[in-house]
Amino acid sequence: MISAAMLSRSASSSLRMAANRATSTIRPTGRHHPMRLRSITTRQHPLPTITVHRKIHRENASAALGTNAIINKRSKSSGAAAASMEFDDDDTTATTTYVSSTDDDLAARTRQEAWMVNLNRGDNEWLTGPRSKEWYTGKSPKHCPGADSHGVLRSLPLPNLSNVTRQAALEYFDNSWTLFEMLFAGLKGEEPFYRPPVHGLRHPQIFYYGHTPCLYINKLRVAGVLEKPVNAYFESIFEVGVDEMLWDDMHKNDMVWPKVSEVYEYRKDVYDTIVDAIKTHPCLDDKGGAEPVTVNQDHPMWALFMGFEHERIHLETSSVLFRETPIELVQTPAHFPTLHPSVYNTTSKATQPVEGEDFPANQMIAVKGNDIKLGKPLDFPSYGWDNEYGERTMNVPDFHASEHMVTNGEFWQFVADGGYRNEKYWCEDGWAWRTHRNLKWPFFWKQVGPAGSHEYGLRTIFEEVPMRWDWPVDVTYYESKAFCKYKSERDGSPTSKPYRLLTEAEHQIIRDPRHSLDAAREDVSADKVMVTAGSEFAYGETAANLNMAYSSSSPVDAFPPSESGHRDTIGNNWEWTEDHFNPLKNFEVHHVYDDFSTPCFDGKHSMIVGGSFMSTGDEASVFARFHFRPHFLQHSGFRLVASEEDAPATQLFPGSFSGQAAARDEAEEVDLSPSSEDNVYESDDLLAMYLGLHFPLSGSKENVNPIMQHEHAPTHGLRFPQRVAELVRKLEPETTNNRALDVGCAVGGSSFELAKSFEHVEAFDFSSNFVEAAKRIQSGEELSFRIPVEGEISEEVSVVNEPGVDSEVMKRVNFFQGDACALSEYANSKEGFGTFDAVMLSNLLCRLPDPMAALNAMPKIVNKGGVVVMVTPFTWLEEFTPKSKWLGGFHDPVSQEPLYSKDNLKQIMESLGFEKIHEEQMPLVIREHQRKYQYILSEATGWRRM
């Protein structure tokens, strides 16, 4: 399947502003001074902090509204019931049985994790059990185009864009939209919307629930069809997803997300907006259906069909994530297609499968080589992604390919023979991935017997069923290649070279010629998905398990073979190939989605071919070209191939996927520890500057003034740290435990001021130099530093505390070195950290690499009635904060309206449960030498935890 990097990029490069994942910036302490940190190249290892995303505030729905109130705002004539089962007329009851959570299941999940902050916000009740008809924001499944006489909803054919009517576009939109929402009706309760995937490499499902409608709006705005956003904030946040990247990149999903009911409301608004555009936009004027419109790549509504196919990509990728979700958190949605009937028609044993009884023999079939021309014609009348267009002729030598994909039965022997324990079958990074995940058998196999018995069941999207040994095995590229090596060693290859995987060109040779590339170029209907709905795909001479004919894999011999004798050349499961994802000759990006493919032309993504049972629309087309990283599952299997000649594969870099370690090592390795010499905050000059800022009475003994005396001297800018701490006291936080937190405390002047009013203060800074100075002052040591006067001339002065700061006050502070981006981690695991009545962030926010990581921690650490004071000049610089993390300070890429941090911060804090109670402009002065000072005007805001 297609990479998540492809799926979730922004509407335009100017909005995406995603930093190159191979670079990072050393985390500063969060100060404003004339020196800038330089960007450095780093390895792609995650930094040792929890990455926290921003929570979305719904502009048009009050957080105080209950779920029922939100749902009842708009009546929908739609419904939901049980797929291929009996359902009641009111669409709310199905005869299927749902697995409920046991006490043990719940106990296993009681350990607090960062993502759990999203739970218990009022949505769980309406999300538990079968969905009522109000769940659907568009058409209900049984009233939706694509529903059969039993109410089961499957995919429509791929639209012919040479003959587009408003009605046809609306029907395909409704089919795409409702299929997606029907899938999401399979999540039981609020937890599966927020629980990160087991591998931690994707966002939780709440992101994808909001992502697909967001992309419709943003792409139609880029194309000029829509003039304004539906919700500009949602359409910024929900647009940028994550690449699956490295298999050990686990720090993506500890985020605070909007409530499901808030995204539900957003989906309703988007649905109405898209329907209105289809029905009324003049570029689709078909004269009441009498004059259909041609939609090509230059047509504004190309973006609409882009939205359809993007949604269908996520329909499939989300179904894989559902399949990876704990079984107690999913349920079979009403109206969903059935599993393949082989599940019900025969019995299956759990172990010791026998070839010829439990699964068919998999003979190697000789194939005559040929020249294959790849590429989709520009004038072919269906939507296509940019990578499909162009051309390349591949000379394919003779080869042997297995009759069908490798089955669970064949793969069982590899498992039983210790294939997952034997490193010799695996490439270096494949073995590292296997040990990292501690895999002992394919992920979707479920152990049903004692350890060592090799008894297994099988996980489908929503159910656990008895093992089907005759279904294709679902595995990653790494597992596929390991089996090839094992099979070559055990049984030998029919050629002088070992077994390998199929290539893209070889795949086109073994497809049925009635539905080949050449046939489709001559006759549009030869691309079978153009004329065949899911309800019809499983029938006829070229039947296949495609376009959601079923909701599971099927036996590898269930459908007729192609002319070459090969089965499942389309559908059932995707097939891994030896090809890197690559551009064809004359490849061009499309301006509406200019970074859909190009970021993945990197030699680290393997192409997959043929489609799966969940592939619909363009994914099911003969011209489809998709890919994934080698450690990912995507209803994907493989076919054995052997040849005397080298594989006719396109590889952008030599060595195929010999190891992600090589990919990581392409970037320079540097030390990211707080003591790194690159951290400018560890310099003596900066230490002296901040001692002068935090202790403005320093120099009074030596008659050195903090500001040279002159008329209109900005003395009102002195004592900035103390004034911020005094503001905290002035806002009168409710007393729960009388504890305060100083985030980015620098050398401690603000912390000591807080300690005048609170019994205990936790204070930390990223700079070890700063923290050490604060501790020395706290211990009573007489600390001195030099104040620049002119050129090389300086005056040595002693640190002098503010009045009222004595040893009793100072001992109330606990200083430690820390990271503001790790606040959530401290809240969860740092001993003695606890919660606070007051939290202070002074000139810090716009110097963090991930400001939302700090903000999202506030609900965890601030007591009810407590106060947060943030002071910031919103000086965003890429040296400190990647543009993708800025809270504002940029223009909307479509409307060009300015987006200000102040407005965004208000939405964020309100969505996190805080009320704004104060705002003022607070100046500060930092001395560089006696005649040069920095004058900064920061915005100080106060927020009370409601």
Side-chain angles (χ1 to χ4, degrees), residues 27-31 674-675 679-683 686-687 744-747 764-774 816-819:
R27 293 185 173 179
T29 49
R31 317 285 164 4
S675 62
N679 191 340
V680 299
Y681 291 108
E682 305 302 345
S683 72
L686 262 295
L687 176 60
C745 65
V747 292
F764 69 85
D765 198 274
F766 194 73
S767 167
S768 60
N769 212 11
F770 285 4
V771 171
E772 179 63 25
F816 65 95
Q817 186 181 2
D819 184 351

PDB file of all heavy atoms in Angstrom, residues 27-31 674-675 679-683 686-687 744-747 764-774 816-819:
ATOM      1  N   ARG A  27      18.160  21.588  21.291  1.00  0.00           N
ATOM      2  CA  ARG A  27      17.102  22.249  22.048  1.00  0.00           C
ATOM      3  C   ARG A  27      17.686  23.333  22.934  1.00  0.00           C
ATOM      4  O   ARG A  27      18.502  23.069  23.811  1.00  0.00           O
ATOM      5  CB  ARG A  27      16.349  21.230  22.891  1.00  0.00           C
ATOM      6  CG  ARG A  27      15.591  20.270  22.011  1.00  0.00           C
ATOM      7  CD  ARG A  27      14.760  19.341  22.838  1.00  0.00           C
ATOM      8  NE  ARG A  27      13.925  18.549  21.938  1.00  0.00           N
ATOM      9  CZ  ARG A  27      13.083  17.626  22.366  1.00  0.00           C
ATOM     10  NH1 ARG A  27      12.956  17.384  23.629  1.00  0.00           N
ATOM     11  NH2 ARG A  27      12.358  16.962  21.507  1.00  0.00           N
ATOM     12  N   PRO A  28      17.254  24.562  22.753  1.00  0.00           N
ATOM     13  CA  PRO A  28      17.753  25.650  23.584  1.00  0.00           C
ATOM     14  C   PRO A  28      16.964  25.769  24.876  1.00  0.00           C
ATOM     15  O   PRO A  28      15.945  25.129  25.060  1.00  0.00           O
ATOM     16  CB  PRO A  28      17.520  26.877  22.707  1.00  0.00           C
ATOM     17  CG  PRO A  28      16.311  26.504  21.918  1.00  0.00           C
ATOM     18  CD  PRO A  28      16.387  25.009  21.699  1.00  0.00           C
ATOM     19  N   THR A  29      17.439  26.612  25.752  1.00  0.00           N
ATOM     20  CA  THR A  29      16.734  26.834  27.006  1.00  0.00           C
ATOM     21  C   THR A  29      15.531  27.731  26.845  1.00  0.00           C
ATOM     22  O   THR A  29      14.690  27.799  27.715  1.00  0.00           O
ATOM     23  CB  THR A  29      17.680  27.484  28.030  1.00  0.00           C
ATOM     24  OG1 THR A  29      18.307  28.586  27.390  1.00  0.00           O
ATOM     25  CG2 THR A  29      18.723  26.500  28.488  1.00  0.00           C
ATOM     26  N   GLY A  30      15.442  28.460  25.756  1.00  0.00           N
ATOM     27  CA  GLY A  30      14.276  29.284  25.557  1.00  0.00           C
ATOM     28  C   GLY A  30      14.502  30.724  25.925  1.00  0.00           C
ATOM     29  O   GLY A  30      13.676  31.352  26.558  1.00  0.00           O
ATOM     30  N   ARG A  31      15.618  31.291  25.526  1.00  0.00           N
ATOM     31  CA  ARG A  31      15.912  32.662  25.850  1.00  0.00           C
ATOM     32  C   ARG A  31      15.965  33.510  24.596  1.00  0.00           C
ATOM     33  O   ARG A  31      16.221  33.015  23.509  1.00  0.00           O
ATOM     34  CB  ARG A  31      17.256  32.772  26.572  1.00  0.00           C
ATOM     35  CG  ARG A  31      17.467  31.705  27.627  1.00  0.00           C
ATOM     36  CD  ARG A  31      16.680  31.957  28.838  1.00  0.00           C
ATOM     37  NE  ARG A  31      16.492  30.881  29.767  1.00  0.00           N
ATOM     38  CZ  ARG A  31      16.967  29.674  29.776  1.00  0.00           C
ATOM     39  NH1 ARG A  31      17.712  29.204  28.834  1.00  0.00           N
ATOM     40  NH2 ARG A  31      16.661  28.876  30.778  1.00  0.00           N
ATOM     41  N   PRO A 674      22.637  17.372  26.717  1.00  0.00           N
ATOM     42  CA  PRO A 674      22.616  18.765  27.169  1.00  0.00           C
ATOM     43  C   PRO A 674      23.999  19.384  27.319  1.00  0.00           C
ATOM     44  O   PRO A 674      24.144  20.588  27.320  1.00  0.00           O
ATOM     45  CB  PRO A 674      21.887  18.679  28.522  1.00  0.00           C
ATOM     46  CG  PRO A 674      21.055  17.451  28.419  1.00  0.00           C
ATOM     47  CD  PRO A 674      21.858  16.490  27.585  1.00  0.00           C
ATOM     48  N   SER A 675      25.034  18.571  27.470  1.00  0.00           N
ATOM     49  CA  SER A 675      26.370  19.114  27.638  1.00  0.00           C
ATOM     50  C   SER A 675      27.080  19.331  26.320  1.00  0.00           C
ATOM     51  O   SER A 675      28.264  19.653  26.296  1.00  0.00           O
ATOM     52  CB  SER A 675      27.204  18.167  28.512  1.00  0.00           C
ATOM     53  OG  SER A 675      27.325  16.907  27.884  1.00  0.00           O
ATOM     54  N   ASN A 679      25.751  23.728  22.306  1.00  0.00           N
ATOM     55  CA  ASN A 679      24.704  24.450  23.026  1.00  0.00           C
ATOM     56  C   ASN A 679      25.273  25.782  23.509  1.00  0.00           C
ATOM     57  O   ASN A 679      26.036  25.845  24.465  1.00  0.00           O
ATOM     58  CB  ASN A 679      24.215  23.609  24.206  1.00  0.00           C
ATOM     59  CG  ASN A 679      22.960  24.186  24.803  1.00  0.00           C
ATOM     60  OD1 ASN A 679      22.650  25.362  24.612  1.00  0.00           O
ATOM     61  ND2 ASN A 679      22.227  23.353  25.524  1.00  0.00           N
ATOM     62  N   VAL A 680      24.868  26.858  22.841  1.00  0.00           N
ATOM     63  CA  VAL A 680      25.444  28.162  23.161  1.00  0.00           C
ATOM     64  C   VAL A 680      25.104  28.612  24.569  1.00  0.00           C
ATOM     65  O   VAL A 680      25.767  29.493  25.116  1.00  0.00           O
ATOM     66  CB  VAL A 680      24.971  29.225  22.145  1.00  0.00           C
ATOM     67  CG1 VAL A 680      25.416  28.858  20.761  1.00  0.00           C
ATOM     68  CG2 VAL A 680      23.459  29.385  22.194  1.00  0.00           C
ATOM     69  N   TYR A 681      24.086  28.013  25.172  1.00  0.00           N
ATOM     70  CA  TYR A 681      23.706  28.419  26.512  1.00  0.00           C
ATOM     71  C   TYR A 681      24.690  27.912  27.567  1.00  0.00           C
ATOM     72  O   TYR A 681      24.563  28.232  28.735  1.00  0.00           O
ATOM     73  CB  TYR A 681      22.292  27.930  26.830  1.00  0.00           C
ATOM     74  CG  TYR A 681      21.244  28.655  26.027  1.00  0.00           C
ATOM     75  CD1 TYR A 681      20.577  28.024  24.996  1.00  0.00           C
ATOM     76  CD2 TYR A 681      20.943  29.984  26.293  1.00  0.00           C
ATOM     77  CE1 TYR A 681      19.621  28.691  24.251  1.00  0.00           C
ATOM     78  CE2 TYR A 681      19.996  30.667  25.555  1.00  0.00           C
ATOM     79  CZ  TYR A 681      19.339  30.010  24.533  1.00  0.00           C
ATOM     80  OH  TYR A 681      18.395  30.677  23.797  1.00  0.00           O
ATOM     81  N   GLU A 682      25.630  27.087  27.149  1.00  0.00           N
ATOM     82  CA  GLU A 682      26.629  26.633  28.097  1.00  0.00           C
ATOM     83  C   GLU A 682      27.845  27.565  28.150  1.00  0.00           C
ATOM     84  O   GLU A 682      28.798  27.306  28.865  1.00  0.00           O
ATOM     85  CB  GLU A 682      27.088  25.206  27.721  1.00  0.00           C
ATOM     86  CG  GLU A 682      25.969  24.187  27.604  1.00  0.00           C
ATOM     87  CD  GLU A 682      25.139  24.029  28.871  1.00  0.00           C
ATOM     88  OE1 GLU A 682      25.574  24.486  29.946  1.00  0.00           O
ATOM     89  OE2 GLU A 682      24.038  23.469  28.777  1.00  0.00           O
ATOM     90  N   SER A 683      27.826  28.654  27.384  1.00  0.00           N
ATOM     91  CA  SER A 683      28.983  29.556  27.356  1.00  0.00           C
ATOM     92  C   SER A 683      28.994  30.471  28.578  1.00  0.00           C
ATOM     93  O   SER A 683      27.955  30.805  29.148  1.00  0.00           O
ATOM     94  CB  SER A 683      28.972  30.396  26.076  1.00  0.00           C
ATOM     95  OG  SER A 683      27.953  31.375  26.138  1.00  0.00           O
ATOM     96  N   LEU A 686      27.074  33.863  27.984  1.00  0.00           N
ATOM     97  CA  LEU A 686      25.620  33.789  28.167  1.00  0.00           C
ATOM     98  C   LEU A 686      25.257  33.636  29.629  1.00  0.00           C
ATOM     99  O   LEU A 686      24.255  34.179  30.100  1.00  0.00           O
ATOM    100  CB  LEU A 686      25.036  32.631  27.347  1.00  0.00           C
ATOM    101  CG  LEU A 686      24.421  33.005  26.004  1.00  0.00           C
ATOM    102  CD1 LEU A 686      23.197  33.878  26.190  1.00  0.00           C
ATOM    103  CD2 LEU A 686      25.433  33.697  25.121  1.00  0.00           C
ATOM    104  N   LEU A 687      26.076  32.912  30.375  1.00  0.00           N
ATOM    105  CA  LEU A 687      25.823  32.779  31.809  1.00  0.00           C
ATOM    106  C   LEU A 687      25.871  34.153  32.477  1.00  0.00           C
ATOM    107  O   LEU A 687      24.987  34.502  33.262  1.00  0.00           O
ATOM    108  CB  LEU A 687      26.850  31.841  32.441  1.00  0.00           C
ATOM    109  CG  LEU A 687      26.769  31.683  33.957  1.00  0.00           C
ATOM    110  CD1 LEU A 687      25.412  31.124  34.379  1.00  0.00           C
ATOM    111  CD2 LEU A 687      27.899  30.796  34.468  1.00  0.00           C
ATOM    112  N   GLY A 744      12.054  26.507  32.433  1.00  0.00           N
ATOM    113  CA  GLY A 744      13.059  27.361  31.830  1.00  0.00           C
ATOM    114  C   GLY A 744      13.526  28.401  32.828  1.00  0.00           C
ATOM    115  O   GLY A 744      13.516  29.600  32.569  1.00  0.00           O
ATOM    116  N   CYS A 745      13.956  27.929  34.001  1.00  0.00           N
ATOM    117  CA  CYS A 745      14.237  28.823  35.124  1.00  0.00           C
ATOM    118  C   CYS A 745      15.528  29.608  34.959  1.00  0.00           C
ATOM    119  O   CYS A 745      15.791  30.530  35.739  1.00  0.00           O
ATOM    120  CB  CYS A 745      14.291  28.015  36.414  1.00  0.00           C
ATOM    121  SG  CYS A 745      15.660  26.817  36.463  1.00  0.00           S
ATOM    122  N   ALA A 746      16.366  29.239  33.987  1.00  0.00           N
ATOM    123  CA  ALA A 746      17.660  29.889  33.785  1.00  0.00           C
ATOM    124  C   ALA A 746      18.479  29.813  35.069  1.00  0.00           C
ATOM    125  O   ALA A 746      18.649  28.726  35.627  1.00  0.00           O
ATOM    126  CB  ALA A 746      17.476  31.317  33.289  1.00  0.00           C
ATOM    127  N   VAL A 747      18.939  30.963  35.582  1.00  0.00           N
ATOM    128  CA  VAL A 747      19.841  30.955  36.740  1.00  0.00           C
ATOM    129  C   VAL A 747      19.114  31.158  38.062  1.00  0.00           C
ATOM    130  O   VAL A 747      19.744  31.344  39.104  1.00  0.00           O
ATOM    131  CB  VAL A 747      20.946  32.017  36.564  1.00  0.00           C
ATOM    132  CG1 VAL A 747      21.874  31.629  35.440  1.00  0.00           C
ATOM    133  CG2 VAL A 747      20.343  33.396  36.317  1.00  0.00           C
ATOM    134  N   PHE A 764      13.464  24.001  36.526  1.00  0.00           N
ATOM    135  CA  PHE A 764      14.450  23.308  35.696  1.00  0.00           C
ATOM    136  C   PHE A 764      14.783  24.132  34.458  1.00  0.00           C
ATOM    137  O   PHE A 764      14.038  25.016  34.037  1.00  0.00           O
ATOM    138  CB  PHE A 764      13.962  21.916  35.295  1.00  0.00           C
ATOM    139  CG  PHE A 764      12.802  21.880  34.339  1.00  0.00           C
ATOM    140  CD1 PHE A 764      12.995  21.958  32.960  1.00  0.00           C
ATOM    141  CD2 PHE A 764      11.501  21.738  34.810  1.00  0.00           C
ATOM    142  CE1 PHE A 764      11.932  21.913  32.077  1.00  0.00           C
ATOM    143  CE2 PHE A 764      10.432  21.683  33.938  1.00  0.00           C
ATOM    144  CZ  PHE A 764      10.641  21.774  32.557  1.00  0.00           C
ATOM    145  N   ASP A 765      15.917  23.812  33.896  1.00  0.00           N
ATOM    146  CA  ASP A 765      16.384  24.470  32.690  1.00  0.00           C
ATOM    147  C   ASP A 765      17.153  23.453  31.857  1.00  0.00           C
ATOM    148  O   ASP A 765      17.707  22.479  32.393  1.00  0.00           O
ATOM    149  CB  ASP A 765      17.285  25.659  33.020  1.00  0.00           C
ATOM    150  CG  ASP A 765      17.423  26.604  31.842  1.00  0.00           C
ATOM    151  OD1 ASP A 765      18.295  26.371  30.990  1.00  0.00           O
ATOM    152  OD2 ASP A 765      16.640  27.567  31.777  1.00  0.00           O
ATOM    153  N   PHE A 766      17.200  23.694  30.557  1.00  0.00           N
ATOM    154  CA  PHE A 766      17.904  22.789  29.658  1.00  0.00           C
ATOM    155  C   PHE A 766      19.418  22.928  29.798  1.00  0.00           C
ATOM    156  O   PHE A 766      20.168  22.011  29.485  1.00  0.00           O
ATOM    157  CB  PHE A 766      17.483  23.080  28.217  1.00  0.00           C
ATOM    158  CG  PHE A 766      17.887  22.016  27.236  1.00  0.00           C
ATOM    159  CD1 PHE A 766      17.244  20.792  27.213  1.00  0.00           C
ATOM    160  CD2 PHE A 766      18.908  22.248  26.327  1.00  0.00           C
ATOM    161  CE1 PHE A 766      17.607  19.817  26.308  1.00  0.00           C
ATOM    162  CE2 PHE A 766      19.275  21.276  25.415  1.00  0.00           C
ATOM    163  CZ  PHE A 766      18.628  20.055  25.407  1.00  0.00           C
ATOM    164  N   SER A 767      19.873  24.087  30.275  1.00  0.00           N
ATOM    165  CA  SER A 767      21.307  24.366  30.378  1.00  0.00           C
ATOM    166  C   SER A 767      21.859  23.894  31.720  1.00  0.00           C
ATOM    167  O   SER A 767      21.452  24.368  32.786  1.00  0.00           O
ATOM    168  CB  SER A 767      21.571  25.874  30.230  1.00  0.00           C
ATOM    169  OG  SER A 767      22.886  26.202  30.625  1.00  0.00           O
ATOM    170  N   SER A 768      22.801  22.977  31.675  1.00  0.00           N
ATOM    171  CA  SER A 768      23.432  22.516  32.908  1.00  0.00           C
ATOM    172  C   SER A 768      24.236  23.636  33.549  1.00  0.00           C
ATOM    173  O   SER A 768      24.347  23.718  34.786  1.00  0.00           O
ATOM    174  CB  SER A 768      24.332  21.314  32.621  1.00  0.00           C
ATOM    175  OG  SER A 768      25.355  21.657  31.691  1.00  0.00           O
ATOM    176  N   ASN A 769      24.798  24.523  32.736  1.00  0.00           N
ATOM    177  CA  ASN A 769      25.568  25.661  33.244  1.00  0.00           C
ATOM    178  C   ASN A 769      24.682  26.585  34.074  1.00  0.00           C
ATOM    179  O   ASN A 769      25.059  27.033  35.164  1.00  0.00           O
ATOM    180  CB  ASN A 769      26.159  26.416  32.056  1.00  0.00           C
ATOM    181  CG  ASN A 769      27.497  27.070  32.381  1.00  0.00           C
ATOM    182  OD1 ASN A 769      28.076  26.795  33.421  1.00  0.00           O
ATOM    183  ND2 ASN A 769      27.973  27.917  31.491  1.00  0.00           N
ATOM    184  N   PHE A 770      23.478  26.864  33.568  1.00  0.00           N
ATOM    185  CA  PHE A 770      22.552  27.722  34.279  1.00  0.00           C
ATOM    186  C   PHE A 770      22.096  27.076  35.588  1.00  0.00           C
ATOM    187  O   PHE A 770      22.040  27.724  36.639  1.00  0.00           O
ATOM    188  CB  PHE A 770      21.333  28.028  33.405  1.00  0.00           C
ATOM    189  CG  PHE A 770      21.600  29.028  32.306  1.00  0.00           C
ATOM    190  CD1 PHE A 770      22.862  29.539  32.075  1.00  0.00           C
ATOM    191  CD2 PHE A 770      20.567  29.460  31.486  1.00  0.00           C
ATOM    192  CE1 PHE A 770      23.103  30.453  31.065  1.00  0.00           C
ATOM    193  CE2 PHE A 770      20.779  30.375  30.463  1.00  0.00           C
ATOM    194  CZ  PHE A 770      22.060  30.876  30.250  1.00  0.00           C
ATOM    195  N   VAL A 771      21.745  25.809  35.529  1.00  0.00           N
ATOM    196  CA  VAL A 771      21.244  25.114  36.716  1.00  0.00           C
ATOM    197  C   VAL A 771      22.329  25.049  37.782  1.00  0.00           C
ATOM    198  O   VAL A 771      22.066  25.239  38.980  1.00  0.00           O
ATOM    199  CB  VAL A 771      20.734  23.709  36.343  1.00  0.00           C
ATOM    200  CG1 VAL A 771      20.414  22.893  37.592  1.00  0.00           C
ATOM    201  CG2 VAL A 771      19.500  23.817  35.456  1.00  0.00           C
ATOM    202  N   GLU A 772      23.557  24.790  37.357  1.00  0.00           N
ATOM    203  CA  GLU A 772      24.649  24.723  38.319  1.00  0.00           C
ATOM    204  C   GLU A 772      24.855  26.068  39.012  1.00  0.00           C
ATOM    205  O   GLU A 772      25.087  26.142  40.233  1.00  0.00           O
ATOM    206  CB  GLU A 772      25.937  24.300  37.609  1.00  0.00           C
ATOM    207  CG  GLU A 772      27.161  24.212  38.501  1.00  0.00           C
ATOM    208  CD  GLU A 772      27.029  23.157  39.601  1.00  0.00           C
ATOM    209  OE1 GLU A 772      26.242  22.195  39.426  1.00  0.00           O
ATOM    210  OE2 GLU A 772      27.696  23.317  40.648  1.00  0.00           O
ATOM    211  N   ALA A 773      24.744  27.170  38.252  1.00  0.00           N
ATOM    212  CA  ALA A 773      24.877  28.499  38.847  1.00  0.00           C
ATOM    213  C   ALA A 773      23.774  28.744  39.864  1.00  0.00           C
ATOM    214  O   ALA A 773      24.020  29.296  40.962  1.00  0.00           O
ATOM    215  CB  ALA A 773      24.844  29.566  37.757  1.00  0.00           C
ATOM    216  N   ALA A 774      22.530  28.362  39.532  1.00  0.00           N
ATOM    217  CA  ALA A 774      21.411  28.548  40.461  1.00  0.00           C
ATOM    218  C   ALA A 774      21.644  27.775  41.758  1.00  0.00           C
ATOM    219  O   ALA A 774      21.374  28.276  42.864  1.00  0.00           O
ATOM    220  CB  ALA A 774      20.106  28.114  39.795  1.00  0.00           C
ATOM    221  N   PHE A 816      16.760  21.362  38.843  1.00  0.00           N
ATOM    222  CA  PHE A 816      17.292  20.209  38.108  1.00  0.00           C
ATOM    223  C   PHE A 816      17.374  20.551  36.625  1.00  0.00           C
ATOM    224  O   PHE A 816      16.716  21.478  36.151  1.00  0.00           O
ATOM    225  CB  PHE A 816      16.440  18.961  38.332  1.00  0.00           C
ATOM    226  CG  PHE A 816      15.038  19.018  37.794  1.00  0.00           C
ATOM    227  CD1 PHE A 816      14.722  18.501  36.536  1.00  0.00           C
ATOM    228  CD2 PHE A 816      14.007  19.577  38.549  1.00  0.00           C
ATOM    229  CE1 PHE A 816      13.426  18.539  36.048  1.00  0.00           C
ATOM    230  CE2 PHE A 816      12.707  19.624  38.073  1.00  0.00           C
ATOM    231  CZ  PHE A 816      12.413  19.100  36.811  1.00  0.00           C
ATOM    232  N   GLN A 817      18.201  19.826  35.942  1.00  0.00           N
ATOM    233  CA  GLN A 817      18.327  20.016  34.503  1.00  0.00           C
ATOM    234  C   GLN A 817      17.221  19.230  33.815  1.00  0.00           C
ATOM    235  O   GLN A 817      16.995  18.059  34.112  1.00  0.00           O
ATOM    236  CB  GLN A 817      19.681  19.526  34.002  1.00  0.00           C
ATOM    237  CG  GLN A 817      19.929  19.838  32.535  1.00  0.00           C
ATOM    238  CD  GLN A 817      21.280  19.318  32.062  1.00  0.00           C
ATOM    239  OE1 GLN A 817      21.993  18.699  32.840  1.00  0.00           O
ATOM    240  NE2 GLN A 817      21.616  19.560  30.811  1.00  0.00           N
ATOM    241  N   GLY A 818      16.499  19.882  32.910  1.00  0.00           N
ATOM    242  CA  GLY A 818      15.380  19.221  32.259  1.00  0.00           C
ATOM    243  C   GLY A 818      15.042  19.841  30.930  1.00  0.00           C
ATOM    244  O   GLY A 818      15.711  20.763  30.453  1.00  0.00           O
ATOM    245  N   ASP A 819      13.968  19.314  30.341  1.00  0.00           N
ATOM    246  CA  ASP A 819      13.565  19.697  28.985  1.00  0.00           C
ATOM    247  C   ASP A 819      12.080  20.031  28.995  1.00  0.00           C
ATOM    248  O   ASP A 819      11.243  19.199  29.370  1.00  0.00           O
ATOM    249  CB  ASP A 819      13.844  18.535  28.034  1.00  0.00           C
ATOM    250  CG  ASP A 819      13.556  18.858  26.584  1.00  0.00           C
ATOM    251  OD1 ASP A 819      12.971  19.920  26.307  1.00  0.00           O
ATOM    252  OD2 ASP A 819      13.905  18.030  25.709  1.00  0.00           O
TER     253      ASP A 819
END
